[in-house]
Amino acid sequence: MSTRHFLTLMDLSRDELHAIIQRAIALKNSPMLHNDSLQHKTLAMIFEKSSTRTRVAFEVAMAQLGGSSLFLSNNDTQLGRGEPLEDTARVISRMVDFVTIRTFEHSKLELFAQHSRVPVINALSDDFHPCQLLADMQTYFEHRGDIQGKRVTWVGDGHNMCQSYMNAAEQFDFELTIACPEGFDPDPALMQARSQRVRLVRNPHEAVRDADLVATDVWSSMGQEEERLKRLQVFADYQVDEEMMALAKSDALFFHCLPAHRGEEVSAGVLDAPDSVVWDEAENRLHTKKALLEFLCKP
Ligand code: CP
Ligand code: NVA
């Protein structure tokens, strides 16, 4: 069978994704379950952008399941001195069991995967952050049950997290309403492909009405730092605050992949609410990583 990669949520079937979520929940509830399932396995981690959650989750997941990981920042490898990505993929994938990459262009992940003998996992690209969505789906399932048929609203930039929610809408069968300012829409081809489940509304207050879940992300992602001042102005009406959440269903959840900027995309009151589940969402990065790694190393 050809090597399985996880570059977007579309690389796995619906059943496989649901099985990973259920496995993550089981691993969370019984931490000693199969604590040697990745014994003698090694994960190489190529990071061209900063990370707290993704890096820690991968390293801890490998350690707790009996394997090991190698953190490779761009500056420390020959990639930083211009060795072709294809050659790096050919070499590293002869030595390790999985590779995860956090980078800018999604095409780099695809190129690496084409030349890799082992599974490649997207640890975030400018287009998609599928690992985050595994944790988000686990969090929804844990707190509210199946997300199928639910109303999810994305408020903010139509960037990597928003586009990952678009794929999740397809794979987990929910309705997604996106509220973003003009000029910050998701990729039109993806909008077209997901048009059965995804709609775009400019007014965020209208978009969150009766939502079961409201999700957002920073207004300036990594690589967009120079646009920060302009984005603060353009997104000013898109802050998820208590007033906006009051328009959603009374038991609506709020998700944020973190790191968050209180007073920008989310108010401190929403993020730090006593019943906020964003810390569970962050913790679930670990459990879903374990379930994903176990899935990808199955023969
Ligand atoms: N949410 C997320 O991916 O966080 P990090 O950038 O800290 O990995
Ligand atoms: N959209 C953010 C997500 C960070 C986890 C970024 O790409 O920087």
Side-chain angles (χ1 to χ4, degrees):
M1 197 174 144
S2 63
T3 305
R4 301 291 299 271
H5 301 293
F6 188 59
L7 307 189
T8 80
L9 287 174
M10 308 314 287
D11 287 330
L12 270 54
S13 71
R14 288 176 172 198
D15 286 351
E16 288 169 338
L17 290 169
H18 282 84
I20 286 173
I21 303 299
Q22 293 311 319
R23 176 68 178 160
I25 292 171
L27 285 164
K28 182 177 183 174
N29 292 335
S30 309
M32 295 313 287
L33 203 65
H34 296 289
N35 58 359
D36 58 356
S37 57
L38 298 183
Q39 203 174 18
H40 307 306
K41 303 279 184 198
T42 306
L43 169 72
M45 303 168 53
I46 300 174
F47 276 56
E48 298 185 340
K49 290 174 174 172
S50 304
S51 170
T52 298
R53 281 144 286 267
T54 308
R55 176 181 177 176
V56 173
F58 268 124
E59 292 193 14
V60 173
M62 288 303 296
Q64 290 186 356
L65 295 180
S68 60
S69 55
L70 293 166
F71 184 76
L72 304 167
S73 79
N74 228 23
N75 294 340
D76 303 329
T77 67
Q78 298 288 6
L79 270 174
R81 296 180 61 250
E83 182 168 14
L85 199 63
E86 301 90 311
D87 294 356
T88 308
R90 289 183 180 109
V91 173
I92 291 183
S93 71
R94 284 174 180 235
M95 299 185 192
V96 304
D97 301 280
F98 328 82
V99 180
T100 185
I101 305 176
R102 172 168 281 204
T103 188
F104 295 86
E105 304 90 342
H106 192 75
S107 56
K108 275 195 187 173
L109 274 152
E110 292 171 337
L111 183 65
F112 196 103
Q114 272 169 28
H115 296 276
S116 173
R117 287 183 172 185
V118 299
V120 177
I121 303 168
N122 181 357
L124 179 141
S125 68
D126 286 345
D127 293 346
F128 297 106
H129 195 9
C131 289
Q132 180 68 50
L133 262 293
L134 294 180
D136 287 20
M137 293 301 103
Q138 179 184 348
T139 310
Y140 195 91
F141 273 74
E142 284 177 342
H143 286 275
R144 295 286 182 269
D146 198 339
I147 199 166
Q148 183 175 35
K150 300 291 182 188
R151 303 174 98 160
V152 179
T153 300
W154 175 264
V155 181
D157 197 6
H159 194 55
N160 45 15
M161 277 300 301
C162 174
Q163 298 196 152
S164 304
Y165 265 90
M166 294 169 74
N167 282 343
E170 176 72 23
Q171 296 291 59
F172 290 90
D173 196 15
F174 57 78
E175 284 176 38
L176 178 67
T177 303
I178 296 170
C180 60
E182 221 168 329
F184 297 87
D185 296 1
D187 174 37
L190 189 60
M191 275 304 289
Q192 180 63 36
R194 301 279 167 270
S195 57
Q196 297 286 314
R197 288 188 169 75
V198 180
R199 69 183 180 126
L200 204 144
V201 171
R202 292 283 171 222
N203 182 330
H205 292 91
E206 187 190 327
V208 298
R209 208 170 285 282
D210 294 326
D212 295 287
L213 168 65
V214 178
T216 191
D217 183 19
V218 291
W219 290 340
S220 299
S221 286
M222 290 181 276
Q224 299 171 337
E225 289 80 3
E226 284 177 9
E227 299 173 25
R228 181 172 153 74
L229 290 179
K230 178 188 155 197
R231 283 169 172 268
L232 283 174
Q233 289 177 353
V234 175
F235 284 90
D237 294 335
Y238 288 78
Q239 181 183 103
V240 180
D241 58 13
E242 293 87 329
E243 186 200 339
M244 195 183 282
M245 283 303 293
L247 298 170
K249 289 206 178 119
S250 56
D251 66 344
L253 294 177
F254 169 75
F255 282 1
H256 192 311
C257 63
L258 306 176
H261 292 89
R262 291 170 177 81
E264 294 184 17
E265 75 277 3
V266 59
S267 68
V270 168
L271 191 76
D272 299 321
D275 58 353
S276 175
V277 298
V278 296
W279 317 113
D280 292 346
E281 188 188 352
E283 178 190 331
N284 287 340
R285 300 296 309 279
L286 171 65
H287 309 297
T288 47
K289 289 279 182 297
K290 287 182 178 176
L292 175 68
L293 290 161
E294 281 187 344
F295 170 82
L296 290 173
C297 80
K298 279 188 194 136

